[in-house]
Amino acid sequence: MIREKNNVFYLETENTEYIFRITEGGYAEHLYYGAKLNDDNTVPFEDKLFFVRGSCIEVDDVSRRISMEHFKSEFSENGKGDVREISVDIVHADGTRTCDFVFMSSDITEGKYELEGLPSSYAGNDSVMSLVVKMKDNNSGSILELIYGVFEKANVITRAARIINNENGSIRLRKIMSSQLDLDEYKQYDFVGFAGAWAYEMNMVRRPIKAGITSQASFCLNSSSRFNPFCMVCESKACEDYGEVYGFNLVYSGNHYESAYMDVFGKVRFMQGINPSEFGFVLERGGVFVTPEAVMTYSGSGFRDMSRNMHRFVRENIVRGEWKYKERPVLINSWESCYFDIDEDKLFTLAKTASECGMELLVIDDGWFAGRNDDTSSLGDWSVDADKFPSGLANLSDRLKSIGMDLGIWVEPEMISENSDLYRAHPEWAVRIPGKKHALGRNQMLLDLTDNDVRQYITDAMRRVFSCADIKYVKWDMNRIVSDSYGNGSTDNQLEFAHRYVLGLYEILGTLTSEFPHILFESCSGGGNRFDLGMLCYTPQIWGSDNTDASCRVHIQTGYSYGYPMSCVGAHVSQCPNHQTRRVVPLSTRFDVAVFGALGYECNLDELSQLELGQIREQIRFYKKYRKNIQSGDFYRLMEDENEIQWMSYDDAAGTGAAMIYRKRVVPGASFSRIKLCGLKPDAVYEFTGGEHEKIMTTGDVFMKAGVKISEGFVHGDNENDARFLVDDSTRIYILEERK
Ligand code: GLA
């Protein structure tokens, strides 16, 4: 719901409220973001700014003299005394840089706005309203639109900004953020980001916000595993179930930037948008630039509720298309099973065993296209390798159908190998500075997605691949970051390259996903190097990490769970010793961790024992029974300490859920565990089963408040029959079912 009263805008969701006003002088002043209020009176929490301190710059706001340095602004600008970090920085047509944006008009509408050329959230079943506040630069006449979306049920507010050049010549955007949030000085805040690397994604980094800038960014071209665009600002005492927490994300797959600037008095300015260091955009007269969409949510009760808001929003308002609510197939992926050593018969044999275990789809990973026997060649040449697949992929998909399996395929469309026919024909299509030496990453180069001909080539090539057989699933990979940045689509100003690349990618993905709506797309970037809401607008799931060791994955998936629902995290059971860590982890643990995501297997089933295959059959039977509940349920991090992690997923509509307990190391003395559940109906009766034949029935209230003590871990004693025998990296799963 969005209301305007006496120049004050109230943006209300079920539990939260965001308030700003237009001052007498026309400035957009932020007033409040937090729990919903029951009175419209904003006077109590307005800043009482009436004089200008010391060396500050004075701005005449009609009835008061203010300094922009202490003003809580909706979108701060350069040149009028706000010497903190600012959100918009423009070099005007006359070469000056000052902006003085004042209110022109506003427009409140039902439904969700769209952002031209960019993916963004949509209303779905939520009740959504949009607001556009038009501001005009007193100096130059250019227009700034502040765009807001209010998602009532999701408790989410989205933001974006649009610049329209009304000047007598071209202007240069040096920086334009998507969102800004000015917070009051009454709390000590922490900045919480998720940092990582290849096979080491989503490690929480929590830093106290001190005077100055606390920031994170991607410089990689894609959103990157270095810092995920999801982050939080929270009061320093916040934990899972206590404290004020703001969650932020960006619907963007490129270089992003998040920062919290604290002034010496403790006011904190958060902002999020395209990384300005890797950006610069020229707008001709009449030209328009629109930012990616930023997402914000608030919880007054800790991380858990913030995460639930984000999960719901991603599931309902970001993920779209035929696969939105469909149960995701259990797949077998050929990568860690066979690497490049594949052919039709070998894959069919793998698929046959997989199908006997209950799996539903075979993914031919890398190595299926002409000449691709290792990672040194052939990217860009998207024709089927006739030696490995003499009868084409259609023959394999027909054979798979006869055993009840579907076919999926891996592609890496944004890349080109130097050793490829495509490079020999079109070296100018690769990202490299003409005439200069360039660097490789995984032996390959990026294709220049700013070039229309390249986009056309990729779209046509993928169209052919996706139609060459009955393809039901596509893994869209991207295995290197940028170097030698240069695009043919922005020859005069290479600061435009990175953003134009992302726009080009979205154009291709938009075309292909709408032409092939039945295909389940999973994106990937050497694991989680492009795990973001922009990709999730096209691909309902993303491969979480190339690290398939469950004892690492449990942390990586915990990291993702702060901002993303588990249904969008691809998670596989792989072979042991694990290929990334050489660690041996029980098969049950590998499954229990993967089961919370979009489950797959990535191991050579034909090397497993009958006993292991029997276990896998049982795992998949279990998964299929509860997959809907787990995938559509609400995910909770129940607890975490240095030796134990507990998760839970609960489908409220069905009254069914699953809880998982993971023990890192066996420590003889520390053998007790209690699971305190979340999200249940307090008065409903539930049965809790699993583990060491546990079967306990009581109310949701008891399960949530007192919890359930599970069987003691084995310590060595006489009566050990019912003990929980643990080895290092052990898990147990418990099922929870409402008894009506
Ligand atoms: C990347 C992916 C892997 C696999 C390989 C294939 O590393 O993350 O899952 O697809 O590429 O080359």
Side-chain angles (χ1 to χ4, degrees), residues 391-450:
S391 316
L393 294 183
N395 193 55
L396 177 58
S397 87
D398 287 346
R399 288 176 74 192
L400 289 175
K401 264 186 219 152
S402 73
I403 54 167
M405 295 280 282
D406 284 326
L407 177 64
I409 198 159
W410 175 96
V411 289
E412 198 181 354
E414 299 156 70
M415 297 293 160
I416 183 165
S417 306
E418 279 185 306
N419 181 8
S420 67
D421 291 343
L422 185 65
Y423 190 77
R424 283 181 280 275
H426 287 289
E428 78 285 5
W429 281 3
V431 172
R432 40 152 226 180
I433 303 167
K436 308 275 188 241
K437 189 168 177 287
H438 60 261
L440 298 177
R442 208 194 185 201
N443 307 306
Q444 63 203 46
M445 299 164 80
L446 284 156
L447 277 168
D448 177 9
L449 267 53
T450 71

Side-chain angles (χ1 to χ4, degrees), residues 147-205:
I147 305 168
Y148 300 81
V150 177
F151 288 73
E152 197 132 348
K153 289 192 218 150
N155 288 303
V156 157
I157 295 191
T158 56
R159 287 193 62 174
R162 190 183 276 120
I163 289 279
I164 303 157
N165 174 7
N166 267 349
E167 304 182 25
N168 282 329
S170 59
I171 64 173
R172 194 151 61 81
L173 286 178
R174 298 179 78 211
K175 174 181 187 182
I176 177 153
M177 291 288 101
S178 297
S179 70
Q180 176 184 321
L181 179 64
D182 276 6
L183 295 166
D184 283 312
E185 48 277 81
Y186 302 114
K187 289 238 156 90
Q188 262 301 313
Y189 291 104
D190 286 350
F191 184 96
V192 188
F194 291 84
W198 176 77
Y200 189 55
E201 291 87 348
M202 293 304 280
N203 302 281
M204 184 191 275
V205 180

Side-chain angles (χ1 to χ4, degrees), residues 198 335 340 365-366 372 410 442 475 477 479 524-527 543 546 602:
W198 176 77
W335 183 241
F340 292 100
D365 209 282
D366 202 348
R372 181 76 167 174
W410 175 96
R442 208 194 185 201
K475 177 172 166 189
D477 209 343
N479 276 314
C524 171
S525 183
W543 177 228
D546 274 356
E602 194 163 331

